Amino acid sequence: MGVAIGIDLGTSNSCVCAIRDGEPIVFADQEGRRTQPSIVAFGYGKSAVVGWKARRQLLYAPESTVISAKRLIGRRSGSVEVERMKAQSAYGITEGQAGELQVRVQGKLFTPAEISAHVLVHMKKIAEAALGEPVTQAVVTVPAYFNDNQRQATRDAATMAGLECLRILNEPTAAALAYGFKQGKRQHVAVYDLGGGTFDISILRIDDDFFEVIATAGDTFLGGDDFDYAAADQFMELFCQSSGVDVRDNRTVRMKLREAAERAKVALSTGEAVEVIVPALHRTGDGREFDFKTTVDRFTYAQWVLPLVQRTFDVCDDALKAANMSTRQIDHVLLVGGMTRYPLIRESVAGHFHKAPNTTVNPDEVVAIGAAIQAWNLTNLEEGGGSVLLDVTPQSLGVRTVGGFCETLIARNTAVPTESTKVFHTAFDLQTEVRISVYQGESRMADDNELLGEFVLEGLAPKPRGQVRVRVSFEIDNDGIVHVRAVDSVLGLERAIRIESRSGVPVEASQARPFDDIDF
Ligand code: AMP
């Protein structure tokens, strides 16, 4: 069996690593770059290019260059996040016939998982070139707050990329593993992970090689992209005012300003002020050409993005509350994700947690290193397998009941793998089938949560209401992926489903009725 790799599949950048002779090796491409932009560009008639080459195309052909596909993966068309992405993206985002989300580039359609598969193939090839042998197994990381649909779609992407996915691992957990592996540490750590597209906070207890996640919380639509769009919105207003031309609906202009905003942000992480220049930003129909020019200092930038920074702390407080801990009980705060290079983030984290964050880990590589350690653990069990990881499920799982309520079966922050069974009974006389709709989220109302999947249990004995009971078992595996089973008590009929990553369209258009209430 060859080497199993760890891949950090990021919104903005990806990184690949493996353990060789007990040491993590982060693989670089031929130019020596240790991370790759998670960007897939489609050329005219040619196959897709990925990574740094694709990034170059972003400026002159944004409409055929797919960025931030991770923000779409496993999401349903019509969701708030998808609508936001549609408004921001230069490439097309559409809905397929079954309601599934698709990316449209040069007349061709791709699922977000297919785009991510391109990135994974690219990372796999970089590892293979460095190792000089084929790679078939990987641990792939996801934000801790990803729901089942997003995890399943990431797993599908790995399969499409020709990789056996050994484990879907939460990014903050991977970071903690890399930080504490073989260090003999005994402490409580908070992993503050602000990447390109998502924010996660996990609180862990490390005891030597035992890693236990106590609580996790996150926002899958809060990351560096949002900082860039916030600054790009300011640039847009400045440009429209100074040029007298309204280009607020021009996607190419918006994309170029986003690029400029990102460059300004990175420059401001080391300098006090930056001059932003975008030559020939816009050409009007009558041939007039406009450049964009402005100066931004750290103070102004901070005012634009402070609401976003504050949102991360609201999420941190939520996780601390769930862990029943105060900031003072946290021994170390680890910073993960490219955005944590920005001084405002570091200073704000220090203020919130009353201690300087730990900066010994490389925020761009630590997640891939943790993934590689876990890949090594899982493929070297006979050698003791290294560390023990206990993770939790980030969101509550439940089913829809009459009245549109969501009845929780597994509460958030329960250690995984886990299983829970509850017994339901029929709500109507002679009811012969029931629909089981599975949701993830914290709201009492099912519709406010994420629909993971639905299935119908048919052929129930036609009995008076309440006499047919159905046992519903939910299992969450080590990858955080949900499996559901239902068995009726009269006929012993069983229907098992693995909830597939799906569009939210009912699996079967059925007249099946919902459940009435619950027996424990
Ligand atoms: P990641 O998903 O962890 O690769 O993080 C990518 C995000 O980090 C992007 O939004 C980048 O613009 C941002 N980033 C990378 N380097 C810096 C830096 N020096 N200062 C501010 N943001 C950065």
Side-chain angles (χ1 to χ4, degrees):
M1 197 45 98
V3 177
I5 56 175
I7 302 178
D8 170 10
L9 176 64
T11 307
S12 310
N13 298 295
S14 295
C15 184
V16 58
C17 178
I19 304 297
R20 302 294 276 160
D21 302 323
E23 289 300 319
I25 311 277
V26 173
F27 297 118
D29 63 12
Q30 284 182 332
E31 281 74 37
R33 292 170 298 212
R34 293 158 70 90
T35 59
Q36 298 285 317
S38 306
I39 301 181
V40 180
F42 295 88
Y44 292 82
K46 286 179 277 160
S47 56
V49 292
V50 186
W52 290 101
K53 274 192 199 153
R55 190 180 173 123
R56 265 178 246 135
Q57 186 178 302
L58 187 59
L59 272 183
Y60 63 88
E63 64 292 339
S64 45
T65 309
V66 184
I67 60 167
S68 304
K70 186 172 168 181
R71 292 193 124 181
L72 298 173
I73 201 164
R75 287 195 187 274
R76 264 180 297 142
S77 189
S79 67
V80 180
E81 292 83 1
V82 171
E83 291 310 308
R84 251 193 287 169
M85 271 291 276
K86 277 186 186 169
Q88 292 167 346
S89 287
Y91 58 86
I93 300 170
T94 57
E95 195 175 310
Q97 278 186 339
E100 74 280 16
L101 205 59
Q102 291 178 327
V103 167
R104 183 167 24 78
V105 185
Q106 295 181 346
K108 293 199 196 96
L109 295 167
F110 304 91
T111 62
E114 283 173 317
I115 299 292
S116 293
H118 278 292
V119 178
L120 290 173
V121 167
H122 187 64
M123 304 315 289
K124 173 175 166 323
K125 282 185 180 162
I126 288 173
E128 287 175 336
L131 289 165
E133 59 180 86
V135 170
T136 56
Q137 296 182 310
V139 167
V140 182
T141 59
V142 293
Y145 210 63
F146 255 21
N147 65 30
D148 176 80
N149 286 339
Q150 293 164 306
R151 286 167 194 271
Q152 187 66 54
T154 304
R155 200 171 233 296
D156 293 346
T159 307
M160 281 184 246
L163 287 166
E164 179 198 346
C165 184
L166 297 172
R167 182 66 44 91
I168 293 288
L169 181 64
N170 291 332
E171 288 160 11
T173 311
L177 187 56
Y179 161 78
F181 189 57
K182 290 193 181 146
Q183 300 285 317
K185 291 182 193 291
R186 251 178 212 196
Q187 48 191 235
H188 284 103
V189 299
V191 183
Y192 178 102
D193 181 357
L194 187 60
T198 56
F199 174 67
D200 275 332
I201 174 92
S202 288
I203 314 253
L204 291 101
R205 183 167 72 89
I206 302 178
D207 190 347
D208 203 2
D209 281 335
F210 180 80
F211 295 75
E212 180 190 14
V213 180
I214 304 171
T216 193
D219 186 332
T220 49
F221 233 84
L222 175 57
D225 282 5
D226 300 291
F227 285 67
D228 301 338
Y229 285 117
D233 284 348
Q234 301 287 340
F235 291 170
M236 180 66 97
E237 290 308 312
L238 283 172
F239 179 74
C240 293
Q241 275 166 23
S242 62
S243 66
V245 185
D246 188 345
V247 283
R248 289 181 183 85
D249 292 334
N250 186 317
R251 283 167 186 241
T252 304
V253 170
R254 190 166 281 282
M255 203 38 70
K256 286 182 178 173
L257 290 177
R258 194 207 81 96
E259 264 285 301
E262 185 180 3
R263 272 182 278 124
K265 173 184 73 182
V266 173
L268 281 173
S269 72
T270 48
E272 284 300 321
V274 58
E275 196 175 29
V276 181
I277 304 172
V278 186
L281 174 64
H282 181 61
R283 184 192 282 264
T284 53
D286 56 10
R288 286 178 302 149
E289 195 169 83
F290 294 89
D291 300 338
F292 175 64
K293 220 176 187 182
T294 191
T295 304
V296 189
D297 59 29
R298 276 194 184 171
F299 180 75
T300 310
Y301 188 81
Q303 286 183 316
W304 293 344
V305 300
L306 262 180
L308 296 170
V309 179
Q310 185 50 47
R311 268 173 63 196
T312 69
F313 294 126
D314 295 343
V315 179
C316 290
D317 291 345
D318 183 28
L320 284 162
K321 195 168 156 221
N324 207 9
M325 289 179 78
S326 73
T327 49
R328 295 189 193 277
Q329 289 171 288
I330 301 291
D331 299 307
H332 289 284
V333 184
L334 303 188
L335 295 182
V336 182
M339 274 304 296
T340 62
R341 292 190 188 285
Y342 198 76
L344 174 69
I345 301 288
R346 294 182 172 212
E347 290 153 18
S348 308
V349 169
H352 194 77
F353 284 88
H354 310 288
K355 56 187 66 72
N358 181 304
T359 51
T360 56
V361 297
N362 178 332
D364 298 329
E365 298 177 357
V366 67
V367 170
I369 293 172
I373 293 170
Q374 185 64 352
W376 187 91
N377 283 340
L378 294 170
T379 48
N380 291 275
L381 293 171
E382 71 286 357
E383 289 179 42
S387 45
V388 176
L389 268 192
L390 279 186
D391 217 320
V392 296
T393 179
Q395 300 182 38
S396 300
L397 261 180
V399 292
R400 187 186 191 99
T401 57
V402 163
F405 292 104
C406 189
E407 188 65 42
T408 299
L409 295 193
I410 297 175
R412 66 180 280 223
N413 289 321
T414 301
V416 292
T418 184
E419 205 180 326
S420 168
T421 301
K422 285 191 179 178
V423 178
F424 296 74
H425 44 250
T426 46
F428 304 94
D429 292 339
L430 309 180
Q431 185 172 343
T432 56
E433 55 182 37
V434 285
R435 173 185 296 273
I436 296 174
S437 306
V438 185
Y439 288 84
Q440 207 160 27
E442 308 314 313
S443 174
R444 277 272 290 139
M445 302 311 295
D447 286 340
D448 296 338
N449 293 326
E450 179 82 11
L451 175 66
L452 297 185
E454 292 182 298
F455 66 106
V456 175
L457 191 71
E458 295 167 316
L460 302 179
K463 299 253 178 189
R465 117 179 242 266
Q467 285 196 7
V468 177
R469 293 163 159 230
V470 181
R471 291 169 72 80
V472 182
S473 311
F474 280 47
E475 185 205 333
I476 303 180
D477 66 18
N478 275 313
D479 293 334
I481 288 176
V482 180
H483 306 263
V484 184
R485 229 157 19 99
V487 182
D488 96 74
S489 60
V490 179
L491 298 176
L493 276 180
E494 176 166 336
R495 180 90 173 250
I497 57 159
R498 194 186 88 194
I499 298 181
E500 303 291 342
S501 68
R502 53 189 306 280
S503 59
V505 174
V507 177
E508 294 165 55
S510 158
Q511 297 305 310
R513 290 162 159 182
F515 289 108
D516 185 7
D517 56 4
I518 298 176
D519 272 353
F520 292 91

